[in-house]
Amino acid sequence: MPIPIVNSIASWFLKKRFHQIELFLKYPNEVQEELLMQLLYKAKDTEFGRTHGFDSIKSYQTFADRVPISSYEEYQPMIERSRLGENNIFWPQPIKWFAKSSGTTNAKSKFIPVSEDALENCHYAASKDLLCMYLNNNENAQLFTGKSLRLGGSKELYKENGTVFGDLSAILIDNMPFWAEFSSTPSNKVSLMNNWEEKMQAIVNETIQENVTSLAGVPSWMLVLLNNVLETTGKDNLHDIWPNLEVYFHGGVSFLPYVDQYKKILPKTDFRYYEIYNASEGFFAIQDQNKSSELLLMLDYGIFYEFIPMETYGTKDEKIIPLSQVEIDKNYAVIITTNAGLWRYKIGDTIRFTSINPYRIKVSGRTKHHINAFGEELIIENAEDALKKVCKKTKSEIVDYTAAPIFMDGKEKGAHEWIIEFKTPPENIHYFNELFDNALKSLNSDYEAKRYNNMTLNKPTIHIARERLFYDWLKATDKLGGQHKVPRLSNTRDYLDALLELNR
């Protein structure tokens, strides 16, 4: 199909969609409340709906009083029944697909239900909206003149009891609409290869022959792929291989530790980066402005949002609030109710609002991924910001890192212990550590208070990791692939001790 015709079709679709987006921008809380009532009505005759009296719920407050907050552990028995082929348990549609995820932490797998509604009205709708917003902000974009290089997970799909499970990316690729498959590379056959290392080279071999205009994938794994592309071709930067490459759509982990490395291999000053916020449970937010680190919360994908202020999370005073009650610059745990039958479900992420008109957010971390062994409440956002500042001052670059507490033993005070793999190490790790400690103090008043005169916490301990340490650890734990992430911060020493042992 000629490019002008493709652009005309895209333009028509974009205008139609923007009318709908404007509706939830103008009436966000009304759109969310109406959506909740639609979800309740659709699921009223399910087992879960009958148990909780969905047919008589007419307000958010009744919903909040009647339906309990849940985690995966509470949901697992129902999910296992659904995986065995039972229908109408928590959603009226038969659940054909389950996104297998071990998350960032333990090896225990989760199986997240993916309904037809979620597939079409959330995940695929978000993909179209991402293009919609990008093209609206960049009228001269030439995305449709070439292909998008997508990098998903490494696991193929498995069938069992009439249902299918695998990485979310594999489910999306397997059910991809024709328009998306036509405009993507590598081929589905290569995308769904199971062996990650073989797959990486196969992607390189396929994509260097294509006219790639955009990239899409998790920053850490995409960087590995792109460095392999440069090594294979002998080129210095990616524009020499793909001269029409104009944008990278990224999500899954913070982009801060990688941004400088990307700028080196994508040196064009007008190259663009667009962030997304999605998970196996749904697609939540999209960057809607050029050169912005804020994400627009998408309110009409069949997901109803609630939030727990982190100062009350896990306490007897825990408070759950709807979107209409959030405040700017507070940390919140995210609770979702979805069109795949997850009801008041804790996804484990924390966010903070940068704006409430419209509702824009930044992802600040994970409810389980912080260090609070001494009341310091160190979150991933603090760590990423501090490392970014110190790397800039010391002209160093980071590949990966993790940290955990050094617990008090009676005589010694506590501390934080870090292991960092550098691409470009600092000249003096002690100076790096001093700057890092000061940066954390400036970003986190609780950490600063605990570090005051070494009252509770001593200065951090930093170990330099050998080359490929984190890659080897992921490989040894069968976690190579686009959706797996290194745990950044932990209140236990499990990951840190394993990595220190492997670093010897």
Side-chain angles (χ1 to χ4, degrees):
M1 189 180 293
I3 293 304
I5 296 176
V6 174
N7 280 336
S8 295
I9 293 171
S11 178
W12 173 83
F13 171 79
L14 301 182
K15 287 175 184 175
K16 184 179 178 184
R17 175 55 180 149
F18 258 101
H19 176 69
Q20 298 167 325
I21 291 174
E22 284 168 358
L23 183 67
F24 78 68
L25 290 177
K26 192 172 182 180
Y27 304 106
N29 301 308
E30 292 85 349
V31 166
Q32 275 280 282
E33 184 127 2
E34 183 181 348
L35 189 150
L36 174 62
M37 294 303 125
Q38 290 171 352
L39 293 173
L40 291 166
Y41 179 80
K42 186 156 188 174
K44 65 184 174 61
D45 294 322
T46 62
E47 180 183 307
F48 193 90
R50 291 193 302 270
T51 299
H52 295 91
F54 280 8
D55 60 349
S56 63
I57 296 178
K58 306 301 180 188
S59 69
Y60 165 70
Q61 193 54 57
T62 306
F63 170 71
D65 291 341
R66 202 174 285 181
V67 180
I69 296 290
S70 62
S71 63
Y72 185 80
E73 286 67 33
E74 280 93 35
Y75 246 82
Q76 189 175 18
M78 287 191 294
I79 288 174
E80 287 307 306
R81 287 170 55 200
S82 185
R83 288 187 62 217
L84 290 170
E86 276 193 66
N87 292 325
N88 211 39
I89 301 170
F90 44 78
W91 193 245
Q93 292 175 338
I95 305 293
K96 301 176 187 176
W97 307 285
F98 293 85
K100 184 181 178 184
S101 169
S102 59
T104 320
T105 54
N106 53 42
K108 181 182 176 182
S109 293
K110 296 180 179 180
F111 294 88
I112 306 300
V114 181
S115 67
E116 286 186 23
D117 283 339
L119 202 63
E120 292 298 329
N121 301 326
C122 183
H123 294 289
Y124 288 142
S127 298
K128 288 181 277 191
D129 280 354
L130 178 60
L131 293 176
C132 178
M133 291 177 185
Y134 175 75
L135 293 172
N136 183 64
N137 293 333
N138 304 282
E139 292 181 357
N140 297 320
Q142 297 294 305
L143 287 185
F144 297 120
T145 64
K147 294 189 174 183
S148 174
L149 195 172
R150 60 171 190 243
L151 182 62
S154 61
K155 302 295 184 185
E156 59 187 327
L157 294 172
Y158 300 91
K159 295 184 179 180
E160 193 175 85
N161 305 309
T163 60
V164 178
F165 68 89
D167 279 1
L168 175 66
S169 58
I171 293 171
L172 296 178
I173 289 167
D174 196 51
N175 294 280
M176 188 178 289
F178 78 94
W179 58 265
E181 187 174 348
F182 174 76
S183 60
S184 300
T185 187
S187 63
N188 285 8
K189 181 181 177 182
V190 169
S191 292
L192 296 173
M193 285 175 66
N194 197 35
N195 185 296
W196 179 255
E197 290 172 318
E198 289 178 9
K199 172 180 169 176
M200 288 293 272
Q201 193 57 49
I203 292 175
V204 172
N205 295 340
E206 267 198 22
T207 57
I208 57 177
Q209 311 299 325
E210 298 282 3
N211 174 26
V212 173
T213 54
S214 66
L215 308 170
V218 175
S220 51
W221 293 112
M222 180 62 78
L223 191 60
V224 173
L225 170 66
L226 297 179
N227 282 325
N228 283 346
V229 167
L230 293 174
E231 189 176 332
T232 298
T233 59
K235 301 292 185 181
D236 293 326
N237 71 73
L238 294 168
H239 301 301
D240 289 340
I241 305 161
W242 300 310
N244 299 314
L245 183 60
E246 62 179 76
V247 60
Y248 172 31
F249 301 110
H250 62 88
V253 298
S254 170
F255 193 51
L256 270 179
Y258 307 102
V259 63
D260 290 336
Q261 295 176 63
Y262 272 92
K263 285 181 177 178
K264 283 184 178 178
I265 60 176
L266 292 161
K268 282 186 180 178
T269 54
D270 60 349
F271 187 81
R272 301 179 188 95
Y273 299 91
Y274 262 63
E275 187 175 354
I276 61 172
Y277 171 32
N278 69 330
S280 298
E281 293 88 351
F283 207 118
F284 311 125
I286 297 172
Q287 180 181 328
D288 65 319
Q289 306 167 101
N290 283 341
K291 298 181 180 178
S292 173
S293 59
E294 300 173 85
L295 308 180
L296 180 69
L297 192 64
M298 304 302 289
L299 303 179
D300 63 350
Y301 287 167
I303 299 174
F304 178 77
Y305 293 97
E306 296 173 272
F307 305 92
I308 303 175
M310 282 306 289
E311 65 262 28
T312 71
Y313 186 85
T315 72
K316 61 181 177 60
D317 299 318
E318 186 171 274
K319 182 182 180 184
I320 300 108
I321 60 173
L323 182 66
S324 59
Q325 295 179 23
V326 300
E327 298 175 35
I328 291 174
D329 280 337
K330 272 194 171 184
N331 243 8
Y332 294 101
V334 182
I335 308 297
I336 58 171
T337 289
T338 77
N339 53 4
L342 297 175
W343 298 95
R344 306 195 84 196
Y345 181 88
K346 293 190 282 191
I347 60 172
D349 289 344
T350 62
I351 58 109
R352 62 181 176 85
F353 285 85
T354 56
S355 163
I356 56 175
N357 185 25
Y359 287 103
R360 289 198 178 100
I361 64 169
K362 286 187 178 182
V363 182
S364 54
R366 300 277 295 169
T367 54
K368 292 182 180 177
H369 293 179
H370 62 279
I371 302 179
N372 192 32
F374 314 100
E376 68 274 45
E377 280 291 353
L378 186 71
I379 61 173
I380 291 173
E381 189 178 33
N382 300 153
E384 302 283 11
D385 288 346
L387 287 169
K388 172 72 175 171
K389 287 179 181 178
V390 177
C391 282
K392 188 173 183 179
K393 284 185 180 177
T394 59
K395 295 183 172 58
S396 51
E397 292 178 330
I398 288 174
V399 176
D400 261 318
Y401 70 88
T402 196
I406 299 173
F407 293 103
M408 299 177 181
D409 65 359
K411 294 181 181 179
E412 281 297 317
K413 291 170 183 165
H416 293 172
E417 189 168 10
W418 300 72
I419 184 164
I420 303 175
E421 182 180 340
F422 291 95
K423 182 179 181 184
T424 306
E427 287 186 11
N428 186 325
I429 192 64
H430 300 294
Y431 178 57
F432 181 97
N433 193 8
E434 183 180 337
L435 291 176
F436 181 48
D437 184 36
N438 289 332
L440 288 175
K441 289 177 188 175
S442 71
L443 291 163
N444 184 318
S445 58
D446 290 322
Y447 177 86
E448 182 182 32
K450 301 302 181 291
R451 281 283 296 118
Y452 181 71
N453 286 339
N454 294 346
M455 191 177 296
T456 304
L457 287 176
N458 285 325
K459 186 182 285 190
T461 296
I462 296 181
H463 305 276
I464 297 178
R466 64 169 173 78
E467 187 178 357
R468 288 173 59 94
L469 173 70
F470 286 87
Y471 187 94
D472 290 345
W473 178 77
L474 287 164
K475 185 175 181 179
T477 53
D478 195 28
K479 287 178 180 279
L480 283 183
Q483 289 184 301
H484 292 298
K485 309 156 197 170
V486 171
R488 301 297 200 194
L489 306 177
S490 176
N491 262 334
T492 75
R493 294 185 56 86
D494 297 350
Y495 312 115
L496 181 69
D497 286 342
L499 283 157
L500 289 172
E501 181 65 30
L502 200 60
N503 196 48
R504 288 180 181 174

